[in-house]
Amino acid sequence: MNWLYDSVEPRVMDEDMLKLAVGEQGPRDEAGQLARQEGILFKDVLSLRLDFQNILRIDNLWQFENLRKLQLDNNIIEKIEGLERLVHLVWLDLSFNNIEAIEGLDTLVNLEDLSLFNNRISKIDSLDALVKLQVLSLGNNEISHMMNIIYLRRFKDLRTLSLSGNPIAEEEDYKMFICAYLPDLVYLDFRRIDDHMKELAEIKHQYGIDELKQRENLIQAQLDDERAQREELEEHKAAFVEHLNGSFLFDSMYAEDVEGNKLAHLPGVSELLQAYKDKFVIICLNIFEYGLKQQEKRKVELDTFNECVQEAIQENREQGKRRIAKFEETHLLSLNAIRDESEVTNLEMKIAEHSKDITELFNMLMTLEMQLVEQLEETINMFERNIVDLVALFIENVQSLMAQCRDLENHHHEKLLEISINTLEKILKGELDEDLPYDVRALFVDKDTIVNAVGTSHDLHLLKIDNREDELVTRTNSWCSHLVDAIHKDEIMRNRRRVKEIHQYVDHVQNELDNLECSEIID
């Protein structure tokens, strides 16, 4: 069925093999000869054929970063690997090899046509990333379970499928099953599927399809819900208030608080703790809602700034285009006039005049650019002041709310300490009616032990609050700093590109004049 080792000598896919293949498959004309002399860059190769090379392992293809078509059929390849960098690949042929598993294709998101014909594959899987897959050839393999067909339902663009030569192709219901469960398929085993076959298949498998669709809808709804939650979390992170829309911070304070959880068993602490939690969560919700509102304000400020910048750049560009258009109206006329002038004195005068026009154009374009630079600098500075003020106000108010959380914790600490000492006194006097767990009663040996336990719990709670506040402040300031830096850098790069464009254009028209002047002098 496939190639065998003992009949061939395995070869290594090395640099020499690749260079030879690229050279042989390149153009044969004069341009091709020149390319072979100067060397063909692998990154410029779009199609590569490596069939019948006795290749055992796929390797050294990372330089073919723009490859669209790769032919590796009729080798002795055992494993799909080494294709990670070929992200632009559209067509891949791995037929007539010794491949046992589908793998190593996760980055090939643009692949449309995949042939694994005549290998040793027993299961269809690991193709999830191939969302654009249209043609799949898996004939002459070892696929035996019809459930493999269900996996292919996720590929909405799949229109051509080949499975002949597999054990499943011998099943009595083979074609009907595929037509029913892959209704968008157009070609099966190189033959077009007629509409009548599809209708019969749908009727025959209607119950199974309806049940499958119901499961798929449930799974899709779950996936949609998870995606919505991820997107929502990203929005909250962008506002720096993720996990503050509930009891997450409060719960984290007690997650590692061994002493606090023990003390919760004391009489009256349960009610105290619930009141503390309710008030604490309200403050967190206030921070959360305030954070979302401030994020929207920052977004509006940024959007307005970007609009102003783009309007200023566009208006400046239009002015430049008008000046250039006006110049070009006379440019060709001036060149023609110089070309037709036979009198040396008049020729020199016309050349000087047009050279002056070019200099004036350059000065005009540079003046426009300097005006834009000044305008954008003022706009950027204004935006920087506004965004820094917004961030400072946000941080100030959040710190004020976080201080309220600390006040609640301090109040709770005082009440808990009071209850704990009263409980200690009752235990020492034998007046405690409640039956406490052994590990809780072990805290009440003396006043220092119970005070230390309550203090340890208190310190842990304050640390959690402080850490969350520090994280919010640090991330917010960092975002603001990076944003402002990026805006300044973008403006510097824009200015450099524009100045370069102006120089290139002016140099071009000046070269036209200089070349004409030289030719006139020679004549």
Side-chain angles (χ1 to χ4, degrees), residues 435-470:
D435 186 20
L436 298 177
Y438 175 78
D439 58 341
V440 177
R441 186 175 285 273
L443 294 173
F444 291 87
V445 292
D446 54 42
K447 186 175 182 181
D448 288 341
T449 302
I450 193 62
V451 168
N452 287 336
V454 175
T456 300
S457 174
H458 178 53
D459 292 342
L460 180 61
H461 296 176
L462 289 177
L463 180 63
K464 290 286 185 179
I465 296 170
D466 291 345
N467 286 345
R468 185 62 182 92
E469 179 183 339
D470 290 343

Side-chain angles (χ1 to χ4, degrees), residues 2-14 17-18 50-61 71-83 94-101 103 119-120:
N2 294 345
W3 288 89
L4 299 175
Y5 281 145
D6 52 9
S7 62
V8 294
E9 181 68 28
R11 294 185 62 195
V12 178
M13 188 187 289
D14 56 16
M17 177 190 288
L18 296 174
L50 293 165
D51 53 336
F52 296 98
Q53 298 286 332
N54 297 340
I55 295 170
L56 176 62
R57 183 185 176 205
I58 304 171
D59 201 2
N60 288 308
L61 290 176
Q71 194 168 335
L72 285 166
D73 60 284
N74 291 280
N75 286 291
I76 53 175
I77 297 167
E78 292 184 332
K79 184 178 181 180
I80 306 174
E81 59 185 340
L83 304 176
L94 285 163
S95 57
F96 293 95
N97 279 287
N98 293 321
I99 297 167
E100 295 184 358
E103 58 187 333
N119 278 280
R120 298 174 178 174

Side-chain angles (χ1 to χ4, degrees), residues 61 137 205 282 325 376 401 408 410 461 476 481 507:
L61 290 176
S137 177
H205 291 276
I282 288 174
L376 292 183
L401 290 168
L408 282 177
N410 290 330
H461 296 176
T476 306
S481 176
D507 287 345

Side-chain angles (χ1 to χ4, degrees), residues 20 41 53 124 306 332:
L20 181 62
L41 295 176
Q53 298 286 332
I124 306 175
N306 286 329
L332 291 177

Side-chain angles (χ1 to χ4, degrees), residues 221-248:
Q222 183 179 355
L223 292 173
D224 291 343
D225 184 54
E226 290 174 356
R227 183 175 62 253
Q229 290 180 17
R230 288 195 299 270
E231 291 173 354
E232 185 179 56
L233 179 59
E234 289 305 313
E235 291 177 3
H236 297 169
K237 285 182 177 180
F240 314 108
V241 291
E242 72 276 8
H243 304 310
L244 288 174
N245 55 333
S247 62
F248 180 85

